[in-house]
Amino acid sequence: MADFATVSDIEALLQVDIDTATKTTAAEAALSEATAAVRNYCKQHIEQVEDDEYTFDVASGMTKLFLPELPVTAVSSVVEDGTTLTADDYKLGLYGILHRIGRPWKSGVQIVTVTYTHGYADGHAKLQTAKSICTRAAARAYQAGLRAAALSGVSGVQAQSIGDYQVQYGAEVSGSDGSLGASAAPILLPSEKAVLARAYRLVQA
């Protein structure tokens, strides 16, 4: 599962060269963390996935199944209780809703399996939004890691000296959620969550 952005994207944003194996590993870890944060917040994979499978538990009388990943661009197969349906048996509606035509879906546990394609193809504006936010979030995490390494992992250090070792502590800047230090900072900023919510029509706290 690929990350939304690359180490080169972080380099371009920060105008730096990530030129050692250790720094590259740290940047890649930050990208993976940021990508996971975006996907977890959106509850969507976002990138295009072809022929993904999802199996439903179906209650009695149900005529609609809600495919979990959006947007749904194609449904290639629907198997109901072991029987492969024809295109006349179902219809894909808006927002990933799969309608059963003529009667309700058969009820049961893990009884309907849908194979479908979902998400946004390379170059789509919605995917670019995810890439941009992932790059910024990963860049912050990468910079925080560099800062923590420079301060030996001690938060709140504002000054150091080597001869006759001295260290000066100051108040650590807190985030909007009250978190302190790089390790406790939220991955996604409220403004970035708002952009994601608008881009993917989310209703979340």
Side-chain angles (χ1 to χ4, degrees), residues 115-130:
T115 303
Y116 68 116
T117 297
H118 57 78
Y120 299 97
D122 289 346
H124 195 285
K126 295 288 183 71
L127 194 55
Q128 292 300 113
T129 296

Side-chain angles (χ1 to χ4, degrees), residues 129-151:
T129 296
K131 176 180 178 179
S132 175
I133 290 175
C134 176
T135 301
R136 292 199 298 272
R140 289 195 302 273
Y142 174 73
Q143 288 180 308
L146 293 180
R147 178 172 179 266
L151 299 177

Side-chain angles (χ1 to χ4, degrees), residues 13 28 34 59 67 71 73 86 88 95 103 110 120 125 176 183-184 202:
L13 177 66
E28 289 173 344
L67 293 164
T73 55
T86 70
D88 294 330
Y95 310 117
R103 65 169 183 80
Q110 299 287 279
Y120 299 97
S176 59
S183 62
L202 302 173

Side-chain angles (χ1 to χ4, degrees), residues 3 5 10 17 27 29 31 41 43 61 67 70 75-76 82 85 90 106 108 110 112 117 176 189-190 200:
D3 296 328
I10 295 179
D17 290 326
L31 287 164
Y41 178 74
K43 296 182 174 63
L67 293 164
L70 301 174
V75 174
S76 55
L85 303 184
Y90 60 87
K106 283 190 177 181
Q110 299 287 279
V112 177
T117 297
S176 59
L189 300 178
Y200 305 109

Side-chain angles (χ1 to χ4, degrees), residues 7-190:
V7 173
S8 295
D9 293 320
I10 295 179
E11 290 178 320
L13 177 66
L14 299 180
Q15 295 295 292
V16 299
D17 290 326
I18 299 175
D19 52 4
T20 69
T22 299
K23 289 181 179 180
T24 298
T25 298
E28 289 173 344
L31 287 164
S32 295
E33 185 179 26
T35 296
V38 171
R39 286 190 172 124
N40 288 339
Y41 178 74
C42 294
K43 296 182 174 63
Q44 297 287 303
H45 186 80
I46 300 176
E47 284 182 307
Q48 181 173 282
V49 177
E50 295 184 359
D51 294 331
D52 197 8
E53 285 190 1
Y54 190 84
T55 301
F56 290 88
D57 295 341
V58 181
S60 178
M62 289 180 62
T63 60
K64 302 175 184 177
L65 298 177
F66 295 82
L67 293 164
E69 294 282 352
L70 301 174
V72 178
T73 55
V75 174
S76 55
S77 174
V78 178
V79 179
E80 181 186 53
D81 196 19
T83 300
T84 301
L85 303 184
T86 70
D88 294 330
D89 296 321
Y90 60 87
K91 184 174 182 179
L92 177 63
L94 294 175
Y95 310 117
I97 301 174
L98 194 64
H99 300 262
R100 188 66 164 93
I101 303 301
R103 65 169 183 80
W105 294 99
K106 283 190 177 181
S107 61
V109 177
Q110 299 287 279
I111 196 169
V112 177
T113 297
V114 180
T115 303
Y116 68 116
T117 297
H118 57 78
Y120 299 97
D122 289 346
H124 195 285
K126 295 288 183 71
L127 194 55
Q128 292 300 113
T129 296
K131 176 180 178 179
S132 175
I133 290 175
C134 176
T135 301
R136 292 199 298 272
R140 289 195 302 273
Y142 174 73
Q143 288 180 308
L146 293 180
R147 178 172 179 266
L151 299 177
S152 301
V154 181
S155 64
V157 175
Q158 293 184 343
Q160 285 182 314
S161 62
I162 301 300
D164 294 330
Y165 180 77
Q166 296 179 355
V167 61
Q168 177 182 332
Y169 293 89
E172 184 75 7
V173 177
S174 63
S176 59
D177 63 350
S179 59
L180 298 175
S183 62
I187 299 174
L188 298 176
L189 300 178

